[in-house]
Amino acid sequence: MERPIPAGQLKEKSLFQDGDGSAVPAKTLCHNCSKLKIFLGALAFSFFAKGFSGSYMKSMSSQIERRFEISSSIVGIIDGSFEIGNLMVMVLVSYLGPRVHRPKIIAVGCLIMSVGAFLSVMPQFLMGRYNYERITVSMDNSSTSVSACSPAKSEPPPVTDATETLSTVINAGCEKTTNSYLWLFVLVGNLLRGIGEAPIMPLGVSYIDDFSKEENSAFYIGLVRSSGMFGPTLGFLLGSFCASLWVDIGIVDIDAISINPKDTRWVGAWWLGLLICGAVNFIASLPFWFLPYSLPKEGENENLKISHLSVQGDHCKIGPPAQPQLKFSEAVKDFLPALRKLFGNPIFVVFIFLTILQYNSLVGIITYEAKFMEQQFNVSVAKAIFLIGVVLLPITILGMFLGGFLIKKFKLHITEMAKFACITFIVAYLLNLLYFTCSCEVLQVAGLTAPYSGMKHLSSSKHTYMASCNAECSCKVDQWDPVCGDNGITYMTACFAGCKSSSGTGRNMVFHNCSCVEEQGLGLGNSSAVLGQCQRESCTKAFPYFLALQTACAFILALGGTPTYMIMFRSVSPDLKSFAVGIETLGGRVLGGLPAPIYFGALIDKTCLKWGTKSCGGSGSCRVYDTNEFRNVYLGLIAGLRAGCCLLYIVLSALIMKRFKPDGKEMTDIKNAERPISKELDTGNKREILPGSRTSEESEETYM
């Protein structure tokens, strides 16, 4: 037994012993404190890196959809592959948490994320150039005056050098399109990113909670998560920048492109940002290779009583720096009892269901919010991504940080956290319902959403693409190269507008003598149309209101996010915290992150009015949506999921109030539940105690 050390000599004497019984100088404690800060910084950067690459991939979903000519549901499958990667390793990594070298496992995960990002870039270098011209083959831009509407188009066009070259390009495009399962590279790369990200959250958060003061734990975790939110912010900003660049930048003449970023056929340089994401993930892995397996508990040299410095055997209470030998058979044997203990906790079970519903709504929003803004409010994808990055995410960071700060400032008990989280979510839900008031007129497309003649409704349920004004033009129904007439109506092509001549080239081309525009317009003889869809003025006025409402809702949700997350830590046994984080993340990923993009995308596809056509046949990506149906489906799904969250928040608060005494002490059944599962932790005279684990006596003190 060591002789008690006077408090005044703590700076000169040792508080800990190494594995061989040798004294550890007090300077080592300061060094270990600095290592905890280094770990906090490294973990914050790894959160930044995973958020950076993850948000960038989310922002590029529309570009990937258009580049590979796939539907939104397929994009959802690609997005869901990330969750599949998490599923493959999450439970194992989380359960083995304190038993493995957590910093090094996190380092390996960051490297795997880097490999996944680089692998996703491969299709860009294996596929040919993006050829949107296949949709506009009826247009002959080589002529100074083009007649989009010509009876001659009923016959095969004469074979000229220009048409022969275009035909060759299209045929080459067909060969490439048969290989366009190259999007599987993106899917596998996303899968690897999911595998690599799996250990960062459970191992990193449990490492902080194990070796920091309890009153600092929530603040540190909130700080790390808030710092990590800068990753999604910059990821969306990078996505906005890359979406405004042409996909084949540096290879083609940008001035020769006749479409702009607002066009539904525009494809940005989606691959460029992935190269940057891979490099950032690689850098994030470097610090973790130099961090130790375990650290002394933060503040033990100031707060531990001398009586707690007694050592059983040759190990002190908080565990030796040396890594214990992991016995796999014992770990597997203890897995099911640990799982039963977690799911025998009703608070944890309700928390898991709550997490699943929140993941569903959150992932659906992140994946399709940019598409919703584009279709609903007539903004470009690049602008939508930019606004998400500079407005919504920063306010979310502020809310998360403020939530963690309030817990630390007022030392909120778990019951107070539950009340705070419940109230903030219900308020945010009520604001969420106001989204439905942000309506916008449907894009008026002749033959799709608007009639050619003066009729109020189309004559049949099937779209009437042809009318008397363009009956002689022999237009191809499978083409989409929209023009906006002087009458404010959008036509699928200049041919459907009945245009007889044109002037200008590229993006500046103007079509004249458009018979369908003249018939619906003022009867002028020289009615014209310009390239691109018509603008919707009412949408421009409604968009700022929608953005302000969404900002307020995001802030309130984020404010209650950190207290909600801390409920899990305060309601489970300390030796199961890492496992609980893994189960929570796994449940959210598998039952929320995996299916949400798929069923959101499938339902959004149902609202499509006009599909693109691949050069070799078959449907491509959607060109025009019914914006009213899109809004009702998208916002309705989110509102329904969050309504379920409100009910679960109320149930969770009731359970916590029942389980915990008002004076801040936990009921006696919780103390009994805090007995560790593992035999290594059950027996007080065992020599091996895992770093960061608390004894049953400490567990009781935690909840006093």
Short mmCIF file of all heavy atoms in Angstrom, two decimals, residues 144-206:
data_model
loop_
_atom_site.label_atom_id
_atom_site.label_comp_id
_atom_site.label_asym_id
_atom_site.label_seq_id
_atom_site.Cartn_x
_atom_site.Cartn_y
_atom_site.Cartn_z
N THR A 144 -26.74 29.15 -90.56
CA THR A 144 -26.94 30.47 -89.95
C THR A 144 -28.41 30.68 -89.60
O THR A 144 -28.73 31.47 -88.72
CB THR A 144 -26.49 31.57 -90.92
OG1 THR A 144 -27.19 31.42 -92.16
CG2 THR A 144 -24.99 31.47 -91.16
N SER A 145 -29.33 30.01 -90.30
CA SER A 145 -30.75 30.11 -90.00
C SER A 145 -31.34 28.71 -90.02
O SER A 145 -31.35 28.05 -91.06
CB SER A 145 -31.47 30.99 -91.02
OG SER A 145 -32.84 31.07 -90.72
N VAL A 146 -31.81 28.25 -88.88
CA VAL A 146 -32.30 26.88 -88.75
C VAL A 146 -33.81 26.88 -88.72
O VAL A 146 -34.43 27.68 -88.01
CB VAL A 146 -31.76 26.24 -87.46
CG1 VAL A 146 -32.31 24.83 -87.29
CG2 VAL A 146 -30.25 26.20 -87.51
N SER A 147 -34.42 26.00 -89.45
CA SER A 147 -35.86 25.81 -89.40
C SER A 147 -36.15 24.59 -88.55
O SER A 147 -35.99 23.45 -88.99
CB SER A 147 -36.43 25.61 -90.82
OG SER A 147 -37.81 25.36 -90.76
N ALA A 148 -36.52 24.85 -87.29
CA ALA A 148 -36.79 23.73 -86.38
C ALA A 148 -38.01 22.95 -86.83
O ALA A 148 -38.09 21.75 -86.64
CB ALA A 148 -37.00 24.26 -84.96
N CYS A 149 -38.97 23.64 -87.40
CA CYS A 149 -40.19 23.00 -87.90
C CYS A 149 -40.10 22.91 -89.41
O CYS A 149 -40.16 23.93 -90.11
CB CYS A 149 -41.42 23.80 -87.48
SG CYS A 149 -42.97 23.21 -88.21
N SER A 150 -39.93 21.71 -89.91
CA SER A 150 -39.81 21.54 -91.35
C SER A 150 -40.41 20.19 -91.74
O SER A 150 -40.10 19.17 -91.14
CB SER A 150 -38.34 21.60 -91.79
OG SER A 150 -38.23 21.26 -93.15
N PRO A 151 -41.29 20.16 -92.75
CA PRO A 151 -41.86 18.89 -93.20
C PRO A 151 -40.79 17.91 -93.64
O PRO A 151 -40.99 16.71 -93.63
CB PRO A 151 -42.78 19.29 -94.36
CG PRO A 151 -43.08 20.74 -94.11
CD PRO A 151 -41.84 21.30 -93.48
N ALA A 152 -39.66 18.46 -94.06
CA ALA A 152 -38.57 17.59 -94.53
C ALA A 152 -38.08 16.68 -93.42
O ALA A 152 -37.45 15.67 -93.68
CB ALA A 152 -37.42 18.43 -95.06
N LYS A 153 -38.38 17.00 -92.18
CA LYS A 153 -37.89 16.20 -91.07
C LYS A 153 -38.62 14.88 -90.97
O LYS A 153 -38.25 14.00 -90.22
CB LYS A 153 -38.02 16.97 -89.75
CG LYS A 153 -37.07 18.12 -89.67
CD LYS A 153 -37.07 18.71 -88.28
CE LYS A 153 -36.09 19.88 -88.24
NZ LYS A 153 -34.71 19.43 -88.32
N SER A 154 -39.72 14.73 -91.74
CA SER A 154 -40.40 13.44 -91.76
C SER A 154 -39.58 12.41 -92.49
O SER A 154 -39.75 11.22 -92.34
CB SER A 154 -41.78 13.58 -92.40
OG SER A 154 -41.65 14.05 -93.73
N GLU A 155 -38.67 12.88 -93.37
CA GLU A 155 -37.75 12.00 -94.06
C GLU A 155 -36.40 12.04 -93.36
O GLU A 155 -36.08 13.01 -92.68
CB GLU A 155 -37.58 12.45 -95.53
CG GLU A 155 -38.88 12.49 -96.30
CD GLU A 155 -39.49 11.12 -96.47
OE1 GLU A 155 -38.71 10.12 -96.49
OE2 GLU A 155 -40.72 11.02 -96.57
N PRO A 156 -35.60 10.98 -93.56
CA PRO A 156 -34.27 10.99 -92.96
C PRO A 156 -33.48 12.17 -93.47
O PRO A 156 -33.51 12.48 -94.66
CB PRO A 156 -33.66 9.65 -93.43
CG PRO A 156 -34.85 8.79 -93.74
CD PRO A 156 -35.91 9.72 -94.25
N PRO A 157 -32.82 12.92 -92.62
CA PRO A 157 -32.07 14.10 -93.06
C PRO A 157 -30.92 13.69 -93.97
O PRO A 157 -30.38 12.59 -93.85
CB PRO A 157 -31.55 14.68 -91.73
CG PRO A 157 -31.53 13.52 -90.79
CD PRO A 157 -32.66 12.65 -91.19
N PRO A 158 -30.57 14.56 -94.89
CA PRO A 158 -29.46 14.24 -95.79
C PRO A 158 -28.17 14.07 -95.01
O PRO A 158 -27.92 14.76 -94.02
CB PRO A 158 -29.40 15.49 -96.70
CG PRO A 158 -30.07 16.58 -95.91
CD PRO A 158 -31.12 15.91 -95.12
N VAL A 159 -27.36 13.14 -95.47
CA VAL A 159 -26.11 12.83 -94.78
C VAL A 159 -25.05 13.83 -95.20
O VAL A 159 -24.61 13.85 -96.35
CB VAL A 159 -25.64 11.40 -95.11
CG1 VAL A 159 -24.33 11.11 -94.40
CG2 VAL A 159 -26.71 10.39 -94.71
N THR A 160 -24.70 14.69 -94.27
CA THR A 160 -23.64 15.66 -94.51
C THR A 160 -22.48 15.33 -93.59
O THR A 160 -22.55 14.43 -92.76
CB THR A 160 -24.13 17.08 -94.25
OG1 THR A 160 -24.50 17.19 -92.87
CG2 THR A 160 -25.36 17.41 -95.10
N ASP A 161 -21.40 16.11 -93.74
CA ASP A 161 -20.25 15.88 -92.86
C ASP A 161 -20.64 16.09 -91.40
O ASP A 161 -20.22 15.36 -90.52
CB ASP A 161 -19.11 16.83 -93.24
CG ASP A 161 -18.53 16.48 -94.60
OD1 ASP A 161 -18.74 15.34 -95.04
OD2 ASP A 161 -17.88 17.37 -95.20
N ALA A 162 -21.49 17.12 -91.18
CA ALA A 162 -21.88 17.43 -89.80
C ALA A 162 -22.72 16.31 -89.21
O ALA A 162 -22.49 15.86 -88.09
CB ALA A 162 -22.65 18.75 -89.75
N THR A 163 -23.75 15.84 -90.01
CA THR A 163 -24.62 14.80 -89.47
C THR A 163 -23.87 13.48 -89.35
O THR A 163 -24.13 12.69 -88.45
CB THR A 163 -25.84 14.61 -90.37
OG1 THR A 163 -25.40 14.33 -91.70
CG2 THR A 163 -26.70 15.86 -90.38
N GLU A 164 -22.94 13.22 -90.25
CA GLU A 164 -22.16 11.98 -90.16
C GLU A 164 -21.29 11.99 -88.91
O GLU A 164 -21.18 10.99 -88.21
CB GLU A 164 -21.30 11.83 -91.41
CG GLU A 164 -20.53 10.51 -91.44
CD GLU A 164 -19.74 10.34 -92.72
OE1 GLU A 164 -19.79 11.25 -93.56
OE2 GLU A 164 -19.09 9.30 -92.87
N THR A 165 -20.68 13.15 -88.64
CA THR A 165 -19.86 13.26 -87.43
C THR A 165 -20.70 13.08 -86.18
O THR A 165 -20.33 12.37 -85.25
CB THR A 165 -19.17 14.63 -87.39
OG1 THR A 165 -18.39 14.80 -88.57
CG2 THR A 165 -18.29 14.75 -86.15
N LEU A 166 -21.92 13.72 -86.19
CA LEU A 166 -22.79 13.61 -85.04
C LEU A 166 -23.25 12.17 -84.85
O LEU A 166 -23.32 11.67 -83.73
CB LEU A 166 -23.98 14.54 -85.21
CG LEU A 166 -25.00 14.57 -84.05
CD1 LEU A 166 -24.30 14.99 -82.76
CD2 LEU A 166 -26.15 15.51 -84.36
N SER A 167 -23.56 11.49 -85.98
CA SER A 167 -23.97 10.09 -85.90
C SER A 167 -22.87 9.22 -85.33
O SER A 167 -23.12 8.32 -84.53
CB SER A 167 -24.38 9.60 -87.29
OG SER A 167 -24.70 8.24 -87.25
N THR A 168 -21.65 9.51 -85.73
CA THR A 168 -20.52 8.75 -85.20
C THR A 168 -20.39 8.95 -83.69
O THR A 168 -20.16 8.00 -82.94
CB THR A 168 -19.21 9.18 -85.90
OG1 THR A 168 -19.36 9.01 -87.30
CG2 THR A 168 -18.04 8.36 -85.38
N VAL A 169 -20.56 10.19 -83.27
CA VAL A 169 -20.47 10.49 -81.84
C VAL A 169 -21.56 9.76 -81.07
O VAL A 169 -21.33 9.19 -80.00
CB VAL A 169 -20.56 12.01 -81.60
CG1 VAL A 169 -20.69 12.31 -80.11
CG2 VAL A 169 -19.34 12.71 -82.18
N ILE A 170 -22.79 9.77 -81.66
CA ILE A 170 -23.90 9.11 -80.98
C ILE A 170 -23.68 7.62 -80.90
O ILE A 170 -23.92 6.99 -79.87
CB ILE A 170 -25.22 9.43 -81.71
CG1 ILE A 170 -25.54 10.92 -81.59
CG2 ILE A 170 -26.36 8.59 -81.16
CD1 ILE A 170 -26.75 11.33 -82.38
N ASN A 171 -23.21 7.01 -81.99
CA ASN A 171 -22.94 5.58 -81.97
C ASN A 171 -21.85 5.24 -80.96
O ASN A 171 -21.94 4.24 -80.25
CB ASN A 171 -22.52 5.10 -83.37
CG ASN A 171 -23.68 5.15 -84.35
OD1 ASN A 171 -24.84 5.06 -83.94
ND2 ASN A 171 -23.37 5.30 -85.63
N ALA A 172 -20.84 6.10 -80.91
CA ALA A 172 -19.79 5.89 -79.91
C ALA A 172 -20.38 6.02 -78.52
O ALA A 172 -20.02 5.29 -77.59
CB ALA A 172 -18.65 6.89 -80.11
N GLY A 173 -21.32 6.96 -78.40
CA GLY A 173 -21.98 7.14 -77.11
C GLY A 173 -22.77 5.91 -76.71
O GLY A 173 -22.88 5.57 -75.55
N CYS A 174 -23.36 5.21 -77.72
CA CYS A 174 -24.10 3.98 -77.43
C CYS A 174 -23.18 2.92 -76.85
O CYS A 174 -23.54 2.22 -75.92
CB CYS A 174 -24.76 3.45 -78.69
SG CYS A 174 -26.21 4.41 -79.20
N GLU A 175 -21.99 2.80 -77.44
CA GLU A 175 -21.04 1.82 -76.92
C GLU A 175 -20.65 2.15 -75.49
O GLU A 175 -20.52 1.27 -74.64
CB GLU A 175 -19.81 1.78 -77.82
CG GLU A 175 -20.12 1.31 -79.23
CD GLU A 175 -18.89 1.40 -80.13
OE1 GLU A 175 -17.82 1.78 -79.61
OE2 GLU A 175 -19.00 1.08 -81.31
N LYS A 176 -20.47 3.43 -75.24
CA LYS A 176 -20.12 3.85 -73.87
C LYS A 176 -21.30 3.61 -72.92
O LYS A 176 -21.10 3.21 -71.78
CB LYS A 176 -19.73 5.32 -73.85
CG LYS A 176 -18.49 5.64 -74.67
CD LYS A 176 -17.25 5.05 -74.02
CE LYS A 176 -16.00 5.45 -74.81
NZ LYS A 176 -14.79 4.89 -74.22
N THR A 177 -22.53 3.85 -73.44
CA THR A 177 -23.69 3.73 -72.57
C THR A 177 -23.90 2.29 -72.14
O THR A 177 -24.35 2.02 -71.03
CB THR A 177 -24.94 4.25 -73.29
OG1 THR A 177 -24.70 5.58 -73.71
CG2 THR A 177 -26.15 4.23 -72.37
N THR A 178 -23.58 1.32 -73.02
CA THR A 178 -23.70 -0.07 -72.60
C THR A 178 -22.75 -0.37 -71.46
O THR A 178 -22.97 -1.30 -70.69
CB THR A 178 -23.39 -1.01 -73.79
OG1 THR A 178 -22.07 -0.72 -74.28
CG2 THR A 178 -24.40 -0.82 -74.91
N ASN A 179 -21.68 0.41 -71.36
CA ASN A 179 -20.75 0.27 -70.24
C ASN A 179 -21.09 1.23 -69.11
O ASN A 179 -20.29 1.40 -68.20
CB ASN A 179 -19.31 0.57 -70.70
CG ASN A 179 -18.74 -0.55 -71.53
OD1 ASN A 179 -19.14 -1.70 -71.37
ND2 ASN A 179 -17.83 -0.22 -72.43
N SER A 180 -22.22 1.85 -69.16
CA SER A 180 -22.53 2.86 -68.17
C SER A 180 -22.94 2.28 -66.84
O SER A 180 -23.44 2.99 -66.00
CB SER A 180 -23.62 3.81 -68.67
OG SER A 180 -23.07 5.05 -68.98
N TYR A 181 -22.76 1.01 -66.68
CA TYR A 181 -22.84 0.45 -65.34
C TYR A 181 -21.59 0.86 -64.57
O TYR A 181 -21.37 0.38 -63.46
CB TYR A 181 -22.97 -1.07 -65.41
CG TYR A 181 -24.33 -1.50 -65.93
CD1 TYR A 181 -24.50 -1.95 -67.22
CD2 TYR A 181 -25.45 -1.41 -65.10
CE1 TYR A 181 -25.75 -2.32 -67.69
CE2 TYR A 181 -26.70 -1.78 -65.56
CZ TYR A 181 -26.84 -2.24 -66.86
OH TYR A 181 -28.08 -2.60 -67.31
N LEU A 182 -20.82 1.75 -65.17
CA LEU A 182 -19.66 2.30 -64.47
C LEU A 182 -20.07 3.08 -63.23
O LEU A 182 -19.24 3.37 -62.37
CB LEU A 182 -18.86 3.22 -65.41
CG LEU A 182 -18.10 2.51 -66.54
CD1 LEU A 182 -17.48 3.54 -67.48
CD2 LEU A 182 -17.03 1.60 -65.99
N TRP A 183 -21.35 3.41 -63.11
CA TRP A 183 -21.80 4.03 -61.86
C TRP A 183 -21.60 3.09 -60.68
O TRP A 183 -21.64 3.52 -59.52
CB TRP A 183 -23.25 4.50 -61.96
CG TRP A 183 -24.27 3.45 -62.30
CD1 TRP A 183 -24.79 3.19 -63.53
CD2 TRP A 183 -24.93 2.56 -61.40
NE1 TRP A 183 -25.71 2.18 -63.46
CE2 TRP A 183 -25.82 1.77 -62.15
CE3 TRP A 183 -24.85 2.33 -60.03
CZ2 TRP A 183 -26.63 0.79 -61.59
CZ3 TRP A 183 -25.64 1.34 -59.46
CH2 TRP A 183 -26.52 0.59 -60.23
N LEU A 184 -21.38 1.80 -60.97
CA LEU A 184 -21.08 0.85 -59.89
C LEU A 184 -19.77 1.20 -59.20
O LEU A 184 -19.57 0.88 -58.03
CB LEU A 184 -21.03 -0.57 -60.45
CG LEU A 184 -22.37 -1.16 -60.89
CD1 LEU A 184 -22.16 -2.50 -61.58
CD2 LEU A 184 -23.30 -1.31 -59.70
N PHE A 185 -18.86 1.87 -59.93
CA PHE A 185 -17.63 2.35 -59.28
C PHE A 185 -17.97 3.34 -58.17
O PHE A 185 -17.38 3.31 -57.09
CB PHE A 185 -16.71 3.02 -60.31
CG PHE A 185 -15.84 2.07 -61.08
CD1 PHE A 185 -16.28 1.50 -62.27
CD2 PHE A 185 -14.58 1.73 -60.61
CE1 PHE A 185 -15.48 0.63 -62.97
CE2 PHE A 185 -13.77 0.86 -61.31
CZ PHE A 185 -14.23 0.29 -62.50
N VAL A 186 -18.92 4.22 -58.46
CA VAL A 186 -19.34 5.20 -57.47
C VAL A 186 -19.99 4.49 -56.28
O VAL A 186 -19.78 4.85 -55.13
CB VAL A 186 -20.30 6.23 -58.08
CG1 VAL A 186 -20.67 7.31 -57.08
CG2 VAL A 186 -19.69 6.87 -59.33
N LEU A 187 -20.79 3.47 -56.60
CA LEU A 187 -21.46 2.72 -55.54
C LEU A 187 -20.44 2.03 -54.63
O LEU A 187 -20.54 2.11 -53.39
CB LEU A 187 -22.41 1.69 -56.16
CG LEU A 187 -23.30 0.89 -55.20
CD1 LEU A 187 -24.67 0.64 -55.84
CD2 LEU A 187 -22.67 -0.45 -54.83
N VAL A 188 -19.45 1.36 -55.23
CA VAL A 188 -18.44 0.66 -54.42
C VAL A 188 -17.60 1.67 -53.64
O VAL A 188 -17.24 1.43 -52.48
CB VAL A 188 -17.55 -0.22 -55.32
CG1 VAL A 188 -16.42 -0.85 -54.51
CG2 VAL A 188 -18.39 -1.32 -55.97
N GLY A 189 -17.27 2.79 -54.27
CA GLY A 189 -16.51 3.82 -53.55
C GLY A 189 -17.27 4.35 -52.35
O GLY A 189 -16.70 4.56 -51.28
N ASN A 190 -18.59 4.52 -52.53
CA ASN A 190 -19.42 4.97 -51.42
C ASN A 190 -19.49 3.90 -50.33
O ASN A 190 -19.56 4.19 -49.13
CB ASN A 190 -20.82 5.30 -51.92
CG ASN A 190 -21.36 6.58 -51.33
OD1 ASN A 190 -20.61 7.44 -50.88
ND2 ASN A 190 -22.67 6.71 -51.30
N LEU A 191 -19.51 2.63 -50.75
CA LEU A 191 -19.50 1.52 -49.80
C LEU A 191 -18.24 1.55 -48.94
O LEU A 191 -18.29 1.39 -47.72
CB LEU A 191 -19.58 0.20 -50.56
CG LEU A 191 -19.63 -1.08 -49.72
CD1 LEU A 191 -21.02 -1.28 -49.16
CD2 LEU A 191 -19.24 -2.28 -50.57
N LEU A 192 -17.09 1.79 -49.58
CA LEU A 192 -15.83 1.87 -48.83
C LEU A 192 -15.83 3.07 -47.88
O LEU A 192 -15.31 2.99 -46.77
CB LEU A 192 -14.65 1.97 -49.80
CG LEU A 192 -14.33 0.70 -50.60
CD1 LEU A 192 -13.18 0.97 -51.58
CD2 LEU A 192 -13.96 -0.44 -49.66
N ARG A 193 -16.42 4.17 -48.32
CA ARG A 193 -16.51 5.32 -47.42
C ARG A 193 -17.32 4.99 -46.17
O ARG A 193 -16.99 5.41 -45.06
CB ARG A 193 -17.14 6.51 -48.13
CG ARG A 193 -16.24 7.23 -49.10
CD ARG A 193 -16.71 8.64 -49.39
NE ARG A 193 -18.15 8.76 -49.54
CZ ARG A 193 -18.96 9.28 -48.62
NH1 ARG A 193 -18.46 9.72 -47.47
NH2 ARG A 193 -20.26 9.36 -48.83
N GLY A 194 -18.38 4.20 -46.36
CA GLY A 194 -19.18 3.79 -45.22
C GLY A 194 -18.42 2.90 -44.26
O GLY A 194 -18.53 3.03 -43.04
N ILE A 195 -17.60 1.99 -44.81
CA ILE A 195 -16.77 1.12 -43.96
C ILE A 195 -15.76 1.96 -43.19
O ILE A 195 -15.54 1.76 -42.00
CB ILE A 195 -16.06 0.06 -44.83
CG1 ILE A 195 -17.09 -0.91 -45.43
CG2 ILE A 195 -15.03 -0.71 -44.01
CD1 ILE A 195 -16.50 -1.90 -46.40
N GLY A 196 -15.14 2.89 -43.88
CA GLY A 196 -14.11 3.70 -43.24
C GLY A 196 -14.65 4.64 -42.18
O GLY A 196 -13.99 4.90 -41.17
N GLU A 197 -15.87 5.12 -42.37
CA GLU A 197 -16.42 6.07 -41.41
C GLU A 197 -16.95 5.39 -40.14
O GLU A 197 -17.08 6.03 -39.09
CB GLU A 197 -17.56 6.86 -42.05
CG GLU A 197 -18.12 7.96 -41.16
CD GLU A 197 -19.20 8.78 -41.83
OE1 GLU A 197 -19.00 9.14 -43.01
OE2 GLU A 197 -20.23 9.03 -41.20
N ALA A 198 -17.23 4.09 -40.23
CA ALA A 198 -17.87 3.38 -39.12
C ALA A 198 -17.19 3.56 -37.76
O ALA A 198 -17.86 3.79 -36.76
CB ALA A 198 -17.99 1.90 -39.47
N PRO A 199 -15.85 3.45 -37.66
CA PRO A 199 -15.24 3.54 -36.33
C PRO A 199 -15.10 4.96 -35.78
O PRO A 199 -14.87 5.12 -34.58
CB PRO A 199 -13.86 2.91 -36.54
CG PRO A 199 -13.54 3.11 -37.96
CD PRO A 199 -14.85 3.08 -38.68
N ILE A 200 -15.23 5.98 -36.59
CA ILE A 200 -14.91 7.33 -36.14
C ILE A 200 -15.85 7.80 -35.03
O ILE A 200 -15.41 8.27 -33.98
CB ILE A 200 -14.94 8.31 -37.33
CG1 ILE A 200 -13.85 7.94 -38.33
CG2 ILE A 200 -14.74 9.74 -36.84
CD1 ILE A 200 -13.83 8.81 -39.57
N MET A 201 -17.14 7.67 -35.24
CA MET A 201 -18.11 8.16 -34.26
C MET A 201 -18.08 7.37 -32.95
O MET A 201 -17.85 7.94 -31.88
CB MET A 201 -19.51 8.16 -34.88
CG MET A 201 -20.62 8.47 -33.89
SD MET A 201 -20.62 10.17 -33.30
CE MET A 201 -21.47 10.96 -34.67
N PRO A 202 -18.32 6.04 -32.97
CA PRO A 202 -18.39 5.33 -31.68
C PRO A 202 -17.08 5.30 -30.92
O PRO A 202 -17.06 5.50 -29.70
CB PRO A 202 -18.84 3.91 -32.08
CG PRO A 202 -18.46 3.77 -33.50
CD PRO A 202 -18.57 5.13 -34.11
N LEU A 203 -15.97 5.06 -31.61
CA LEU A 203 -14.69 4.97 -30.92
C LEU A 203 -14.20 6.34 -30.48
O LEU A 203 -13.65 6.50 -29.38
CB LEU A 203 -13.64 4.30 -31.82
CG LEU A 203 -13.95 2.87 -32.27
CD1 LEU A 203 -12.73 2.25 -32.93
CD2 LEU A 203 -14.39 2.01 -31.10
N GLY A 204 -14.38 7.34 -31.33
CA GLY A 204 -13.92 8.68 -30.97
C GLY A 204 -14.70 9.28 -29.82
O GLY A 204 -14.12 9.82 -28.87
N VAL A 205 -16.03 9.17 -29.87
CA VAL A 205 -16.86 9.75 -28.82
C VAL A 205 -16.65 9.03 -27.49
O VAL A 205 -16.56 9.65 -26.43
CB VAL A 205 -18.34 9.73 -29.24
CG1 VAL A 205 -19.24 10.10 -28.08
CG2 VAL A 205 -18.57 10.68 -30.41
N SER A 206 -16.57 7.69 -27.53
CA SER A 206 -16.37 6.93 -26.29
C SER A 206 -14.99 7.21 -25.70
O SER A 206 -14.82 7.23 -24.47
CB SER A 206 -16.55 5.44 -26.55
OG SER A 206 -15.56 4.96 -27.45
#
